[in-house]
Amino acid sequence: MCGTCGCVGGSGEGGGARIAVPHAHPHDHDHVHAGHGPDHTGVRDHPSADRGSTGDGETITLEQKVLVKNDDLAVRNRAWLAERGIVAVNMMSSPGAGKTTLLERTLRDFAGRRPVAVIEGDQETALDAERIRRAGGTVVQINTGAGCHLDAEMVRGALTALEPEPGSLILVENVGNLVCPALFDLGERSRAVIISVTEGTDKPLKYPYMFAAADLVVINKIDLLPYVDFDVEQCEKYARSVNPDLRVLTVSATTGEGMAAWYDWVAHP
């Protein structure tokens, strides 16, 4: 169980995540259990574990144990990646913000520049992983079942399945959710939050911890700005009121507008 939101998830707590091993044929979907990968390391603070007494000591204790175990594994993941010169970026968003479209375009435009692999997180199906394969990417699919986020143990197993080349770029598409993914360090180098102009200007105020934990905000689907009520400048102000150090980019993964800045950042996050 995730102590933060009550979901049944987390490979270390019996969530039953499945990792699809990549094959030459895109319709082969053998699975291995999460948590059988390299020992991988930077611990992020988790304010939810220090909320004080809520009248439910067991819930808080469980949450602390889940987060401490996850952070220990994340520390080892980070060290494993650093030893091989591999950069991992954790991409988070609500459902429908355009993460997969952003990944598809990135894979096509990055071809030949640097080896890129994708860890694809969803509760069910391999639909997004299929899209990544069609774009020419190497991908491992993690299905979290009832879980609402990836965790460090799931990523550890995915890295074993991927066997990324030294110097690779690993793009992690987290489960669509603006709450729990922010709390779980995966061992990544950087975190990017993708929001779309269809979601509302006030997203950073509604989900402050996600934006406080991020390094970059990507405002996607700017090609739709003429048709929606979204204030880019105000959204940036809201985001920086939560995290003054945030970098903010505006892009359209569909048309390619603004993508050069994203490529520059993802190459050196």
Side-chain angles (χ1 to χ4, degrees), residues 4 16 28 31 67 90 93 98 101 120 123 128 139 161 171 184 191 194 214 224 250:
T4 304
D28 291 336
H31 292 82
L67 293 175
N90 186 0
S93 79
T101 302
E120 184 65 52
Q123 289 188 314
D128 286 350
V139 61
L171 298 174
F184 285 80
R191 292 178 165 192
I194 294 88
L224 299 180
T250 56

Side-chain angles (χ1 to χ4, degrees), residues 1-7 9-10 12-13 44-72 149 151 179-185 209:
M1 173 179 288
C2 169
T4 304
C5 67
C7 72
E13 296 297 324
R44 295 183 185 269
D45 292 331
H46 297 302
S48 61
D50 298 309
R51 292 176 299 184
S53 176
T54 66
D56 189 352
E58 286 190 22
T59 299
I60 297 299
T61 299
L62 174 60
E63 179 179 344
Q64 289 174 333
K65 288 180 180 178
V66 168
L67 293 175
V68 167
K69 178 180 179 180
N70 181 83
D71 284 346
D72 179 64
H149 57 270
D151 65 28
V179 182
C180 289
L183 298 173
F184 285 80
D185 187 0
Y209 188 67

Side-chain angles (χ1 to χ4, degrees), residues 167-247:
S168 295
L169 173 65
I170 304 290
L171 298 174
V172 181
E173 182 172 1
N174 217 312
V175 178
N177 179 358
L178 284 178
V179 182
C180 289
L183 298 173
F184 285 80
D185 187 0
L186 307 180
E188 70 269 32
R189 170 81 64 84
S190 298
R191 292 178 165 192
V193 178
I194 294 88
I195 62 174
S196 76
V197 301
T198 60
E199 294 182 67
T201 300
D202 57 358
K203 269 292 188 289
L205 300 183
K206 289 185 174 182
Y207 302 93
Y209 188 67
M210 174 62 75
F211 290 83
D215 302 293
L216 176 76
V217 173
V218 178
I219 300 176
N220 190 24
K221 304 187 183 181
I222 59 172
D223 53 303
L224 299 180
L225 279 171
Y227 313 105
V228 296
D229 182 13
F230 186 92
D231 187 328
V232 172
E233 184 177 351
Q234 188 62 56
C235 185
E236 289 189 29
K237 288 180 180 178
Y238 287 153
R240 292 199 174 100
S241 74
V242 173
N243 182 351
D245 297 324
L246 270 177
R247 184 174 177 188

